[in-house]
Amino acid sequence: MICVFCWVGWALLSKLGSEEIPPNTMQFLFTLGTIPVGLALLIARRGRLQKSRMGITYGVLNGILSGLGRLTLFAAYHTNANTTLITAATALYPMITVVLAITILREHFRPIQALGLVFAAIAFVIFSI
Amino acid sequence: MHIPLWLWYSILTLLAWGVVGLLQKLPTNHVSAESSLIWLIVGFLVIEPFFYPGSAVVHYSRVNLTYAVLSGLLNALGAWALFAALKSGGKASIVAPLTALYPVVVIALVPLILNESVKPLQWVGVACALIAVILLSA
C-alpha cells in the first residue's frame, strides 16, 4: 500500500512538474529527490554496501536505463497529451519484459501472457487512432 | 495510422523500462534488494551531468520545482517499500502484481485532480491496457 501510494504521488507530481519544466531538467531534479532515500538506506545499513561486480553492473545499468525511460516519460507528459493515456501506455512495459524473458532467458511462455500481449496490442492500436 | 508524439515517447519509455524489468531480476542474484536500490540511484547519478540545467532552473516556478524533486523522493520511497514488502515475507507473486496496479489509482485520480477528459474509445484502450498489465504480471 505504501509503495502504491508513493508511486501514485510520483506519477501525478511528474505530470504536474512536466507542464512547465522540460524533460531533461525534470530528470535532473527527480534524481536529486532520490538521493535522500539512497543515503537513508546507506545509513540504515551502516555504510555496508555489497560490492559484487555483477550486482553493481546490473544495478547501475538499471539506473541508467530507468533514467532514460523516465526522461521520455517526462517528454510525453511535457507534450500536454492526456495523462490517463500516457499512464496506461507506459504501464505496458511488462510486455517488453515478458518478450525478452522468453527470448533471452528462455522462460516458459504462458497462455495468460499471450492474452496479455493481445490486449496490449489492442490498446496500442486504439491509442494510435 | 498516425502515431502521436506522446505515444512515440511512451513507446521509448516502455522499451527502456521493459529491459529494466528484465535486468531487475539479475542484480538481486548477486546483492541484496537494498544494495540494488542504492546502485540503481548511482546509475541515475551517472547520467545526471547530461541533464544539468544550469541557471535556467531559477526561471521555473518554485511549486513545479518542488513537484519534480518530490516525484523522485516518492519514487525511491515506493521502491524501498516494495523491497521491504518482499523482505518481510510478502510473496513476489502477490506483491509484484499488486504494486503494478498503481496506474489504476493514477487513472482514477486524473479526472479529479487534473480535470482531463478521455474519449469513450480511448477508455476502451485504457481498459485493454490495464487488463494487459494484470495478465502480464499474473
Side-chain angles (χ1 to χ4, degrees), chain A residues 51-60, chain B residues 26-28 30-31 36 39:
Chain A
K51 291 166 186 161
S52 146
R53 188 176 291 178
M54 291 305 285
I56 293 171
T57 306
Y58 287 133
V60 172
Chain B
L26 304 174
T28 45
H30 303 276
V31 293
S36 293
W39 289 119

Side-chain angles (χ1 to χ4, degrees), chain B residues 31-125:
Chain B
V31 293
S32 70
E34 288 95 339
S35 289
S36 293
L37 182 53
I38 293 170
W39 289 119
L40 181 90
I41 293 171
V42 171
F44 291 161
L45 291 171
V46 168
I47 54 172
E48 187 75 336
F50 296 104
F51 306 123
Y52 177 64
S55 58
V57 78
V58 297
H59 300 299
Y60 304 120
S61 76
R62 197 172 293 176
V63 174
N64 284 332
L65 291 172
T66 308
Y67 286 158
V69 176
L70 266 181
S71 77
L73 184 69
L74 285 174
N75 185 279
L77 282 175
W80 193 356
L82 172 64
F83 287 141
L86 293 170
K87 199 178 177 183
S88 61
K91 286 183 180 173
S93 58
I94 294 170
V95 173
L98 210 62
T99 52
L101 285 177
Y102 80 90
V104 177
V105 185
V106 175
I107 288 166
L109 289 175
V110 162
L112 303 172
I113 296 176
L114 302 174
N115 292 319
E116 292 180 2
S117 59
V118 177
K119 293 174 192 165
L121 182 63
Q122 290 175 326
W123 274 122
V124 176

Side-chain angles (χ1 to χ4, degrees), chain A residues 51-129:
Chain A
K51 291 166 186 161
S52 146
R53 188 176 291 178
M54 291 305 285
I56 293 171
T57 306
Y58 287 133
V60 172
L61 204 58
N62 272 345
I64 293 171
L65 271 174
S66 172
L68 293 176
R70 194 165 295 101
L71 181 72
T72 49
L73 174 70
F74 290 143
Y77 282 145
H78 197 60
T79 61
N80 280 328
N82 196 292
T83 310
T84 299
L85 302 183
I86 295 169
T87 304
T90 53
L92 286 169
Y93 70 88
M95 76 180 195
I96 304 294
T97 308
V98 165
V99 170
L100 291 175
I102 291 163
T103 53
I104 296 173
L105 299 183
R106 303 278 175 204
E107 285 189 3
H108 183 61
F109 190 44
R110 291 178 292 150
I112 198 166
Q113 292 174 323
L115 195 60
L117 292 178
V118 170
F119 273 102
I122 295 170
F124 269 101
V125 171
I126 291 174
F127 290 153
S128 58
I129 291 174

